[in-house]
Amino acid sequence: MIVRLFTVLMLSGALVAPAAAQGLLPQNPAQAPAQNQTQQRPSPYEILGISVEGVESESARSIVSQASGLSLGQTITLPGDEAIADAVRSVYRLGLFSDVKIVEDRRAGSGVYLSIHVQEEPRLVEYQFTGVGRGSRNDLRDRVPLLTGSPVRPSDIERSRQEIQNYFREKGYMLSTVDVQRNQTAEGQISLTFLIDRGLRVEISEIRVFGNEALSDRRIRRSMSDTDEDRWWRFWSAATFDREAYQTDLQNVIRAYNDRGYYDARIVRDTVYVQENGDPGVIVELDLDEGPQYYVRNVEWEGNTVYTDEFLTGALGFERGEPFNLSELEQNLYQNRNSSDVTSLYMNRGYMRFNVEPRISVVTGDSLDISLDVMEGDVYQFGDINISGNTKTKEHVIRRELYTVPGQTFSRDAIQESIRRLSQLSYFTQESLGGGPTVEINENARTVDLGYSVREQSSDQLELSGTWGTFGLVLMLRFSFNNFSAQNILNGDAWDPLPAGDGQKLSLALQTSGTFYQNYSVSFTEPWYRGRPTPIGASLSYSRFGGGSRGLPGFGRSSGGSFQTGSARFFFERRLSWPDDRFSTSSSVRYQYYQNEDLFATIPQGISQLITLEQNLTRNSLDHPVFPSSGSSMELSFAVAPPVPGFVQYHKSRFKTSWNVPLASQLSVGFSTDYGYVGSLTGDRVDFERFIVGGSPFDTQGFYSYFGRDVIYMRGYPAASIGPRREDEPVGGTILNKYTSELKWLAIQTDQLSAQPYLFLDAANAWNSFENYNPSELYRSAGVGMRLFLPILGMIELTYGYNFDAFPAITNRHDGSTKWTFQFSLGQGFGQ
């Protein structure tokens, strides 16, 4: 290939060779002697004719002639016209020929006849790979630049060989070799066979670091997140060498130094080679020059008028004399999690074109001066706010969640909060929201037009589940419509399968084990009452047990009893603007009726009634309602059942928190707490709303003894295993402490499926009174889990947990020993 290319270049440059005084090689060398005797000056010549040799068809000759860029009547200078060399290169770039040259046929006065000579490349009839499996063969066909039936040049074959080798090196086969076997057919075509020997899979066996003192070898290796040494415990990923990731990791090493004040740190030398002695492995060597550690001396601002120097320096976060930190500088200049960075300060006040450029100067000794050039620009307002892509959800449902209102001052936080609130609806895919709205700027009007493009996803849920309780198989069917439209109930065209698009929530549920047990429930929520963010809603439920000769051994009476319960609840909620607009408060009133006729031992006999008034204060800044990776939530509630004659009395307080912190792409850590207390208003014993800890939502289906109790789910422990008991029956505690921590990885997030595996560590307990309350006495568990979300089924959660602490045995269900326990939940998770 090199010889051919050299020949082409020599021929294309023949116009400057002394052997061809006119700039072209004559077709008949016998015509040249007189011309070759003396060197001629460059002279203009008109092209009188162009012929093409080396191809048979007229269409091919036409293609070559057109590709050359030469034309009849064109004037060229001989020798030395660049048009000849350009013509050779243009024809060669067609990829159809291995050799191209332009020769002079003859001259006629001040004109010249040219001939373009080409040598066609053979056409590829087929190509194949040997030594690898079918999967690799399919991948390689997508990578090699070969097309059967088309001409194939030596450069194409070499590129294909390199692509094959790169493919296997990316997978860790650093010693792979590729040979090419060419076979020519009788028709002049060729077939190719790539003989592949992958060799042994080679992983990174060692990263050697030299010249480092300020940072340890371990810290430097940790900064190279995608270039890992092969270790037995790192079973989840192969420590193969990736050249592109390696280059990024080299920058990460420098960044690690820059963040600790070593502003001049550099990598003097980096080497990557394969060590074949013994077990082959990749060796990475880094030679570092750390340089001195620098400290911030002066911070100076230029061009700022809106904020003072002192205020901006405070936002920048640097104190005189502290070590320089490049990442902190960039975050506090352009964007941090709290939106307290300098850019956010300006952009949230409408300065959409704001820009700041830092200049860092090394001064005498070990100090740095930071100068910041500020361009504030003009104040912009939101212009047109356009919404597209919503096929089911009505536009007003989307628009009412937006904080970007036409005419208001531009704010970056308003855009981010709008995206978060749209995400909380769960009506649209995260991919369609992740990029944010499109932005169009009208410089004359100083307005910013936004375009929100959404893609609908189903947020409705169908839950069909079953469990085996003491009284047999219990089946449950639940429909949850999260984007319902009550206004269109009478509109037959809107039923698909139910009227939708107004953002209302409707839930219908049926739970039964035949005639012995039945439960019915319905709930409805209007999130925007009278056009304001004031959700109101109501729910009704009814359950019936017994009425026959069927007994309930171990939990209640022997036979013949019955039980009924019904409830009605009405609530309304209101968003607050103080302390910030993520706070909301809600009020509710609930009526509960119990009639226990000699069936359950855990609920008082006869009729029990409750009227409960509840007040809640919540704050929610989670970035996703199901799979949060950042943000927090808080809920403080207080409920009271007044001591009305004939009614049950109690008061109940609850405080729940949750924090989520992102660690890396799709990786986050979450912490949550749950505290509760149930007390008496009159001093009498309270038998309702006590805390029963353990189990999953699936475990508690069909366990009738939980009526009138507050079930707190906990992984690794069976239902009702934690908390006070009476005669082996769970009566629940009046004091609750629960703590949860998770390391979560959002592995899959698509329209059809979202999956989040996690590691968890839980601890909880419930006590009967403050006399025996001991906050350090907790039941602990740990394990692994997986959350799956399917649009039609909703949440599916699987966990496999180990309980570190033994607990009193549960008759016929658990001996109380420490062991691994598999748990399953459908429709709601453990934290709900």
Side-chain angles (χ1 to χ4, degrees), residues 37 50 71 95 98 113 118 288 307 320 324 335 417 432 446 458 485 521 546 618 637 702 732 832:
Q37 297 299 320
I50 301 175
S71 60
S98 60
Y113 290 85
V118 296
L288 302 176
Y307 296 104
R320 183 183 179 92
F324 174 75
Q335 188 165 19
E417 179 63 14
S432 65
R446 295 294 187 268
S458 175
S485 176
S521 64
T618 62
S637 64
Q832 298 174 294

Side-chain angles (χ1 to χ4, degrees), residues 274-548:
V274 177
Q275 181 175 273
E276 301 186 45
N277 298 331
D279 293 333
V282 175
I283 305 297
V284 177
E285 293 184 354
L286 302 179
D287 271 340
L288 302 176
D289 180 6
E290 296 178 328
Q293 186 178 24
Y294 289 96
Y295 301 85
V296 176
R297 190 181 71 168
N298 296 323
V299 177
E300 298 178 351
W301 300 85
E302 296 181 9
N304 54 303
T305 62
V306 178
Y307 296 104
T308 65
D309 292 1
E310 293 75 16
F311 183 84
L312 293 178
T313 300
L316 195 62
F318 282 108
E319 296 288 343
R320 183 183 179 92
E322 70 175 75
F324 174 75
N325 186 318
L326 181 60
S327 292
E328 183 180 348
L329 174 66
E330 293 176 348
Q331 291 172 6
N332 290 341
L333 272 183
Y334 302 115
Q335 188 165 19
N336 57 33
R337 295 176 184 171
N338 302 322
S339 293
S340 60
D341 56 280
V342 174
T343 300
S344 292
L345 291 174
Y346 275 93
M347 296 191 76
N348 291 336
R349 291 186 58 175
Y351 293 89
M352 196 264 178
R353 290 295 196 184
F354 171 81
N355 187 38
V356 57
E357 292 291 339
R359 289 181 287 109
I360 302 172
S361 304
V362 178
V363 295
T364 304
D366 58 357
S367 299
L368 295 177
D369 285 346
I370 304 175
S371 300
L372 301 115
D373 297 327
V374 173
M375 187 189 73
E376 295 176 332
D378 297 322
V379 175
Y380 288 72
Q381 294 179 331
F382 288 118
D384 294 334
I385 308 298
N386 300 307
I387 299 171
S388 62
N390 51 312
T391 58
K392 180 173 66 173
T393 305
K394 297 179 181 179
E395 185 170 313
H396 75 273
V397 174
I398 301 174
R399 199 170 289 278
R400 69 194 184 189
E401 298 294 335
L402 302 181
Y403 275 52
T404 53
V405 180
Q408 290 189 353
T409 302
F410 175 86
S411 169
R412 184 166 70 177
D413 277 1
I415 297 176
Q416 294 174 345
E417 179 63 14
S418 298
I419 293 298
R420 191 190 72 84
R421 289 190 179 274
L422 290 179
S423 176
Q424 289 285 329
L425 293 177
S426 298
Y427 300 161
F428 314 110
T429 64
Q430 293 300 307
E431 290 80 0
S432 65
L433 298 175
T438 59
V439 177
E440 293 186 7
I441 303 173
N442 187 330
E443 294 291 358
N444 293 329
R446 295 294 187 268
T447 59
V448 180
D449 298 337
L450 302 181
Y452 294 89
S453 179
V454 300
R455 188 166 68 250
E456 300 267 9
Q457 69 176 4
S458 175
S459 59
D460 300 331
Q461 298 177 15
L462 167 64
E463 180 183 348
L464 177 61
S465 60
T467 189
W468 186 265
T470 306
F471 43 83
L473 179 65
V474 178
L475 298 177
M476 180 177 179
L477 178 64
R478 182 193 301 273
F479 295 95
S480 296
F481 303 97
N482 295 320
N483 196 1
F484 185 67
S485 176
Q487 292 86 336
N488 289 326
I489 288 180
L490 300 180
N491 182 3
D493 296 335
W495 286 70
D496 184 28
L498 288 177
D502 278 324
Q504 299 159 348
K505 297 181 180 181
L506 175 66
S507 179
L508 305 169
L510 167 65
Q511 193 173 10
T512 180
S513 67
T515 58
F516 181 76
Y517 165 61
Q518 295 177 359
N519 172 265
Y520 310 92
S521 64
V522 58
S523 65
F524 174 81
T525 301
E526 166 57 71
W528 281 68
Y529 180 61
R530 291 187 174 181
R532 295 178 178 272
T534 306
I536 66 170
S539 62
L540 297 171
S541 68
Y542 172 77
S543 299
R544 181 175 64 83
F545 284 85

